[in-house]
Amino acid sequence: MSKSNLSSRNERNNTKNIYLDYASGVSANPSSIHKEGMKAKIELQNARKEVATILNSQKEEIIFTSGGTESNNIAIQGLVLALQEKKLEKIFNKKLPHIITTNIEHPSVLETCKILQKRKLAEISIVSVEKNGIINPKKIRKEIKENTVLVSVMYANNEIGVIQPIREIAKMIRRYKKNKKNKNQISSKISLPFFHTDAMQAVNYLNLNVEKLGVDLLSLSGSKIERAGRVGVLFKKKSAPLATIFGGGNQEFGLRPGTENLPEILKFSHALKLAQKNKEKEKIRLKKLQDYFIKKLLKLNSNFNDNTKKKTIAKNLVNHKMILNGDLKDRLPNNINVTFPKIPSDLLVIELSTKGIMVSSKSACKSSEKESSYVIRAINPKSDSEIGGLRFSFGSQTTKSDIDYTIKILNKVLIKLKKWYNDA
Amino acid sequence: MSKSNLSSRNERNNTKNIYLDYASGVSANPSSIHKEGMKAKIELQNARKEVATILNSQKEEIIFTSGGTESNNIAIQGLVLALQEKKLEKIFNKKLPHIITTNIEHPSVLETCKILQKRKLAEISIVSVEKNGIINPKKIRKEIKENTVLVSVMYANNEIGVIQPIREIAKMIRRYKKNKKNKNQISSKISLPFFHTDAMQAVNYLNLNVEKLGVDLLSLSGSKIERAGRVGVLFKKKSAPLATIFGGGNQEFGLRPGTENLPEILKFSHALKLAQKNKEKEKIRLKKLQDYFIKKLLKLNSNFNDNTKKKTIAKNLVNHKMILNGDLKDRLPNNINVTFPKIPSDLLVIELSTKGIMVSSKSACKSSEKESSYVIRAINPKSDSEIGGLRFSFGSQTTKSDIDYTIKILNKVLIKLKKWYNDA
């Protein structure tokens, strides 16, 4: 709803349209009770309904946020605060609420848990993923105790693209709850623990049906969906109690105060619909590109390890095989993550960038830190702390010729960088 | 930076431009270390510099947020958490950090303070404004004590448009600090209390020079600036300690994790510059409209109170004079707030809306609540809890003919509603 729309004369109804509510917002505020506000409110409700349909949830279970980081914070901090308000610590024998998560979660989950621990609001257990990057649900099961309030496991990893067994974890949690109920260990109506998944990277390629997934909380971010606005979504099952972490108005069921970012929310709901509609087709297309890229990478690696071609390449690299990071089967179709031992990934990112190829070495949210990716170190504890991994992530515009060019340039860059690994 | 830009061939340099960093963001992420990320980072830095210039601050003192509500939350919650981390409670003899604010602040300040109080993280004093809506700095001075960490007073009120004496309050705080220092009451390097102002409504018409204002923290919202994006700003003086209230990445000096909303931030900085550039001219233009509107309103009211015209109007209204809410001198040029006794403002909003005139009765952030404006009740404790005030707020598109039409319709609506005040 642009300002010019608001101020224009409505000729059909022969009535003027005069906007004298600039203090509410320079464009109509969905919380305003006048006509333009109501129109905005209806648009907001329709967007909420659309997202709810895609997630197979009720519309009251969809909360629009400012982005993925905020969705994760509202989910995790909000749950802990809500349980505190319900004075559940009495049930826990004065123990703090306990959260279980993994060692390769996004910083917006991992750091949020750590902040709660630091502020003595929660106790956390960080479960390690396997060497292929996948979490073993049994390891999570072992950590669950009476005061466990939340299990938070991402749907797909942002760096190495592995897909976590969300349904299996959900099933395990349901089994635990059932057994616990029989033993009458909890008197409260709230059945613990709740299950949260950060689905930011999964959004374009995986099923988001929250019923089938079996999650209580699910986070999405517009910045990972093409043509979506810069907003986020938190799905919150009705039974999951959340307290507000912000002070302010009553927007978004009181959980996300502040004028709703309607223009971006509308873009988000349309883009999410489109992404989910195209996901099967796009998955097949990208899987082919992924397979092709991996084949080319392996060939490139074998060339480097071929003695007859030794002249053109660095001698040390021969003994340091390229590593493909993360499970090759259970992974997103748009992600390839590779480590070239002895070559810092940051250096590769910069070299490729000068040739016009934009890739990354770790979560952008961690890019200002000197250390290499904590995700790569989690799956390969012996890896050099400076090396990390090189992530190629595809989207709708990625073509086979992009990959051919990338492999060609990567080859040149590796040869150019031989000084690095020869001296190493 | 659109996706299509990123994928296009750069013919000039004869190099391709291939974006394989979709997982960082579907458009370039300012935290990415590749070329497109660096470009985005420079754009972000330029926007930060532009805002810093307008506010006369250092660029490291500008934090981009998702909006005004978040800016206020980061300022208030962030300060309290930072002081807790610094274990200042020892200095306070185990007293909680104390916050002073007023009874007509925006919900994002008032509710945030109340949440901190409820969670036993802070103690708050809410000082009442005078009948004209203006706060008396002496009343604030009286509330300051050794453990006072923050004074938060809005620059201009969102409902009744009154402008608070920010410089005077800042001066009073500086005097207090100076005296306190001489007495060596505080051993810490941190000089308490800090001074925060919510400048959302002031942004288009008042001076935002933080040095001249003498504030340590200042909040802005894009939703109140024409053509600005849906982001916010928090100015945070270097000496003011803030702890992060979110877990996540290192963006915005660690105070606002999450991918920066670059497209909206760029819009914000341009729009802020334009609004501040035009403010003197626009202030004069709107002040004329405001005076004209008030004159017309008073005439309309006197007609209703004119015995010779009694036939056309309701008899009871004659005895209930219209009230212009808020000081008439120290107020924003774009705001008029009026109470018609016995007539609920919500009803007037809806009636005017059906005639194409969009106005409001209270903060949109409080619109879902049944009670009338707490701001109107604050300045007129005897006012009927259902009546509230009717706010007309102007913007760049508002013209004299809009006001003529509005007065004409308001007159009709008041006559139509006579049943209300006759029965009341």
Side-chain angles (χ1 to χ4, degrees):
Chain A
M1 188 76 40
S2 75
K3 183 178 46 58
S4 56
N5 274 340
L6 294 171
S7 297
S8 69
R9 306 295 186 246
N10 188 340
E11 298 296 343
R12 267 180 308 160
N13 301 321
N14 202 24
T15 57
K16 298 197 179 202
N17 204 356
I18 296 172
Y19 190 70
L20 295 179
D21 198 18
Y22 284 83
S24 283
V26 290
S27 59
N29 189 322
S31 296
S32 297
I33 61 173
H34 53 60
K35 208 166 58 178
E36 297 297 342
M38 289 307 288
K39 266 191 215 167
K41 193 178 188 171
I42 289 165
E43 288 183 297
L44 179 66
Q45 282 170 340
N46 286 342
R48 197 186 307 283
K49 214 169 154 183
E50 199 154 83
V51 174
T53 303
I54 292 162
L55 269 56
N56 190 26
S57 75
Q58 295 179 44
K59 61 181 192 298
E60 296 78 15
E61 296 177 324
I62 301 300
I63 299 151
F64 288 110
T65 70
S66 74
T69 289
E70 198 180 80
S71 294
N72 283 340
N73 274 270
I74 293 174
I76 299 169
Q77 294 200 46
L79 183 73
V80 166
L81 287 172
L83 294 176
Q84 278 193 327
E85 282 175 13
K86 289 182 186 291
K87 311 230 181 290
L88 275 196
E89 71 266 34
K90 280 178 191 166
I91 295 163
F92 302 151
N93 300 319
K94 289 180 183 171
K95 280 174 197 152
L96 288 174
H98 175 238
I99 301 173
I100 301 170
T101 189
T102 84
N103 59 345
I104 64 165
E105 295 299 309
H106 187 268
S108 55
V109 166
L110 219 39
E111 297 301 321
T112 302
C113 292
K114 285 177 186 171
I115 282 177
L116 290 173
Q117 188 178 43
K118 191 179 149 198
R119 294 188 182 147
K120 292 180 183 126
L121 293 170
E123 168 195 347
I124 64 171
S125 295
I126 299 174
V127 179
S128 296
V129 295
E130 305 304 302
K131 279 180 184 168
N132 62 354
I134 311 273
I135 192 81
N136 180 351
K138 283 177 192 158
K139 280 194 180 174
I140 292 175
R141 175 63 190 85
K142 274 185 191 164
E143 296 295 327
I144 298 183
K145 42 191 184 179
E146 218 186 8
N147 57 328
T148 304
V149 299
L150 180 68
V151 174
S152 180
V153 177
M154 69 203 319
Y155 200 166
N157 184 269
N158 50 315
E159 295 196 34
I160 56 174
V162 293
I163 299 166
Q164 301 295 3
I166 298 302
R167 291 176 198 213
E168 219 180 308
I169 297 166
K171 219 178 277 177
M172 175 273 289
I173 292 173
R174 277 198 302 273
R175 259 198 315 267
Y176 167 82
K177 285 183 182 181
K178 212 179 154 190
N179 290 338
K180 198 177 60 167
K181 223 175 186 175
N182 291 339
K183 287 181 191 162
N184 272 329
Q185 283 179 342
I186 279 242
S187 54
S188 161
K189 279 175 192 169
I190 294 167
S191 184
L192 298 172
F194 291 101
F195 184 27
H196 168 250
T197 192
D198 166 351
M200 322 247 170
Q201 296 289 338
V203 68
N204 296 306
Y205 311 113
L206 305 181
N207 193 315
L208 297 179
N209 185 322
V210 291
E211 274 300 316
K212 283 191 182 165
L213 286 171
V215 296
D216 304 299
L217 297 152
L218 180 143
S219 308
L220 293 174
S221 164
S223 71
K224 311 302 183 199
I225 311 170
E226 292 183 50
R227 284 170 295 271
R230 292 299 189 86
V231 290
V233 153
L234 174 63
F235 155 74
K236 178 202 102 65
K237 207 170 178 173
K238 270 192 178 167
S239 55
L242 292 190
T244 181
I245 65 172
F246 297 104
N250 305 317
Q251 293 95 342
E252 298 298 312
F253 316 107
L255 288 172
R256 209 290 161 182
T259 306
E260 300 91 341
N261 190 346
L262 186 61
E264 301 283 289
I265 287 171
L266 297 180
K267 278 202 267 171
F268 179 95
S269 67
H270 296 156
L272 177 67
K273 198 176 174 181
L274 198 68
Q276 282 283 309
K277 194 184 139 198
N278 293 339
K279 73 173 186 296
E280 294 305 328
K281 224 172 79 183
E282 192 62 358
K283 211 151 65 179
I284 292 167
R285 190 184 75 83
L286 291 175
K287 182 73 175 63
K288 273 184 197 162
L289 288 184
Q290 190 184 46
D291 289 344
Y292 180 70
F293 200 160
I294 290 173
K295 203 180 78 185
K296 289 278 188 182
L297 274 174
L298 291 171
K299 186 154 180 284
L300 180 144
N301 188 49
S302 71
N303 283 349
F304 278 110
N305 283 285
D306 181 345
N307 277 337
T308 63
K309 292 180 181 172
K310 254 189 175 172
K311 280 176 207 166
T312 61
I313 53 126
K315 57 179 180 182
N316 278 359
L317 193 67
V318 177
N319 304 316
H320 299 288
K321 272 197 175 174
M322 181 190 86
I323 303 160
L324 286 165
N325 296 309
D327 195 80
L328 283 176
K329 208 179 108 276
D330 285 335
R331 74 184 297 121
L332 294 174
N334 76 322
N335 174 298
I336 287 167
N337 191 306
V338 60
T339 294
F340 296 98
K342 303 286 176 193
I343 313 176
S345 297
D346 278 0
L347 187 64
L348 288 170
V349 170
I350 290 160
E351 286 290 337
L352 289 171
S353 167
T354 63
K355 304 286 179 186
I357 298 167
M358 309 305 147
V359 298
S360 71
S361 54
K362 54 187 164 183
S363 166
C365 286
K366 282 287 182 186
S367 65
S368 66
E369 292 190 359
K370 278 175 190 166
E371 282 195 318
S372 72
S373 159
Y374 65 90
V375 175
I376 301 300
R377 281 179 282 136
I379 58 170
N380 184 5
K382 285 180 189 166
S383 80
D384 192 317
S385 71
E386 282 176 14
I387 302 306
L390 193 65
R391 177 184 69 184
F392 302 87
S393 52
F394 312 155
S396 68
Q397 302 300 304
T398 312
T399 63
K400 190 163 168 285
S401 87
D402 288 348
I403 287 169
D404 287 330
Y405 182 75
T406 301
I407 289 287
K408 195 178 91 182
I409 298 298
L410 183 60
N411 192 43
K412 281 186 187 173
V413 166
L414 288 171
I415 289 169
K416 184 191 160 190
L417 291 179
K418 64 181 177 184
K419 199 186 170 315
W420 265 92
Y421 36 87
N422 278 338
D423 293 351
Chain B
M1 186 76 41
S2 77
K3 185 178 44 59
S4 57
N5 275 340
L6 294 171
S7 296
S8 71
R9 306 296 185 247
N10 186 339
E11 297 296 341
R12 269 179 307 157
N13 300 322
N14 201 26
T15 57
K16 298 196 178 201
N17 205 355
I18 296 172
Y19 191 70
L20 295 179
D21 198 18
Y22 284 84
S24 283
V26 291
S27 60
N29 188 320
S31 295
S32 297
I33 60 173
H34 53 60
K35 209 166 56 181
E36 296 297 340
M38 290 305 290
K39 267 190 215 166
K41 192 177 188 170
I42 289 166
E43 288 183 297
L44 178 66
Q45 282 170 339
N46 287 342
R48 196 186 307 283
K49 215 169 152 181
E50 199 154 83
V51 174
T53 303
I54 293 161
L55 269 59
N56 190 26
S57 75
Q58 295 180 44
K59 61 182 192 298
E60 297 76 16
E61 296 176 326
I62 300 300
I63 299 151
F64 288 111
T65 70
S66 73
T69 288
E70 197 178 81
S71 294
N72 283 339
N73 273 270
I74 293 175
I76 299 169
Q77 294 201 47
L79 183 73
V80 166
L81 287 173
L83 295 176
Q84 278 193 327
E85 283 176 12
K86 289 183 186 292
K87 311 231 179 293
L88 275 197
E89 71 268 32
K90 280 178 191 168
I91 296 163
F92 303 151
N93 300 319
K94 289 182 182 171
K95 280 175 197 152
L96 287 175
H98 174 238
I99 302 172
I100 301 169
T101 189
T102 84
N103 60 345
I104 64 165
E105 296 299 308
H106 187 267
S108 54
V109 166
L110 219 40
E111 296 301 321
T112 302
C113 292
K114 286 177 186 171
I115 281 178
L116 290 172
Q117 187 177 44
K118 191 178 149 199
R119 294 190 182 144
K120 291 176 184 131
L121 293 169
E123 168 194 348
I124 63 171
S125 295
I126 299 173
V127 180
S128 295
V129 296
E130 306 302 303
K131 278 181 185 168
N132 62 355
I134 311 272
I135 192 81
N136 181 351
K138 284 177 193 161
K139 280 195 181 174
I140 293 176
R141 174 64 189 87
K142 273 185 192 163
E143 295 295 329
I144 297 183
K145 42 190 184 179
E146 218 186 8
N147 58 327
T148 304
V149 299
L150 181 69
V151 174
S152 181
V153 177
M154 69 204 319
Y155 199 166
N157 184 269
N158 50 315
E159 295 195 35
I160 54 173
V162 293
I163 299 167
Q164 301 295 2
I166 298 301
R167 291 176 198 213
E168 217 182 307
I169 297 167
K171 218 178 279 177
M172 175 274 287
I173 292 174
R174 275 199 304 274
R175 259 198 315 268
Y176 168 81
K177 284 184 184 182
K178 212 180 155 189
N179 290 339
K180 197 177 61 166
K181 223 176 186 175
N182 292 339
K183 286 181 191 165
N184 273 329
Q185 283 180 341
I186 278 242
S187 55
S188 162
K189 280 175 191 169
I190 295 167
S191 184
L192 297 173
F194 292 100
F195 184 27
H196 168 251
T197 191
D198 166 352
M200 321 248 171
Q201 296 288 338
V203 67
N204 295 306
Y205 311 112
L206 304 182
N207 194 316
L208 297 179
N209 186 324
V210 291
E211 274 300 316
K212 282 191 182 164
L213 285 171
V215 295
D216 304 299
L217 297 152
L218 178 142
S219 308
L220 293 174
S221 165
S223 71
K224 311 303 181 197
I225 310 170
E226 292 183 52
R227 284 171 295 272
R230 291 301 188 86
V231 289
V233 153
L234 174 63
F235 155 74
K236 178 201 100 65
K237 207 171 181 175
K238 269 190 179 171
S239 55
L242 291 190
T244 180
I245 65 171
F246 296 105
N250 304 317
Q251 293 94 343
E252 297 299 313
F253 316 106
L255 289 172
R256 209 288 160 184
T259 306
E260 301 89 342
N261 190 346
L262 186 61
E264 301 283 290
I265 286 172
L266 297 180
K267 279 202 268 170
F268 179 95
S269 66
H270 296 156
L272 178 67
K273 198 176 173 180
L274 198 69
Q276 282 284 307
K277 193 184 138 199
N278 293 340
K279 74 173 186 296
E280 293 306 328
K281 223 173 79 186
E282 192 63 358
K283 211 152 65 180
I284 292 165
R285 189 183 76 84
L286 291 175
K287 181 75 175 63
K288 273 183 196 161
L289 288 184
Q290 190 184 47
D291 289 345
Y292 180 70
F293 200 160
I294 290 173
K295 202 180 78 186
K296 289 278 187 181
L297 273 174
L298 291 171
K299 186 152 178 286
L300 179 145
N301 187 51
S302 70
N303 282 349
F304 277 111
N305 284 286
D306 181 346
N307 277 337
T308 62
K309 293 182 181 173
K310 255 190 173 172
K311 280 178 207 166
T312 61
I313 53 132
K315 57 178 181 183
N316 278 359
L317 193 67
V318 177
N319 304 317
H320 300 288
K321 272 198 175 174
M322 180 190 85
I323 303 160
L324 285 166
N325 295 310
D327 195 81
L328 283 177
K329 208 180 108 276
D330 286 333
R331 74 184 296 119
L332 293 174
N334 76 322
N335 174 299
I336 287 166
N337 191 307
V338 60
T339 294
F340 296 97
K342 303 284 173 195
I343 313 175
S345 296
D346 278 0
L347 187 63
L348 288 170
V349 170
I350 290 162
E351 286 291 337
L352 288 172
S353 167
T354 62
K355 304 285 179 189
I357 298 167
M358 308 306 144
V359 299
S360 72
S361 55
K362 54 186 164 183
S363 167
C365 286
K366 283 285 182 187
S367 65
S368 66
E369 292 188 0
K370 278 176 191 165
E371 282 194 318
S372 73
S373 160
Y374 64 91
V375 175
I376 301 299
R377 281 180 281 136
I379 57 171
N380 184 5
K382 284 179 189 167
S383 79
D384 192 316
S385 71
E386 281 176 16
I387 302 306
L390 193 65
R391 177 184 68 185
F392 302 87
S393 52
F394 312 155
S396 67
Q397 303 300 304
T398 311
T399 62
K400 188 162 169 286
S401 87
D402 287 347
I403 287 170
D404 286 331
Y405 182 73
T406 300
I407 289 287
K408 194 178 90 183
I409 298 298
L410 183 61
N411 193 43
K412 281 188 186 171
V413 165
L414 288 171
I415 290 169
K416 183 188 161 191
L417 289 180
K418 63 179 176 185
K419 197 185 171 313
W420 265 92
Y421 36 86
N422 278 337
D423 292 350

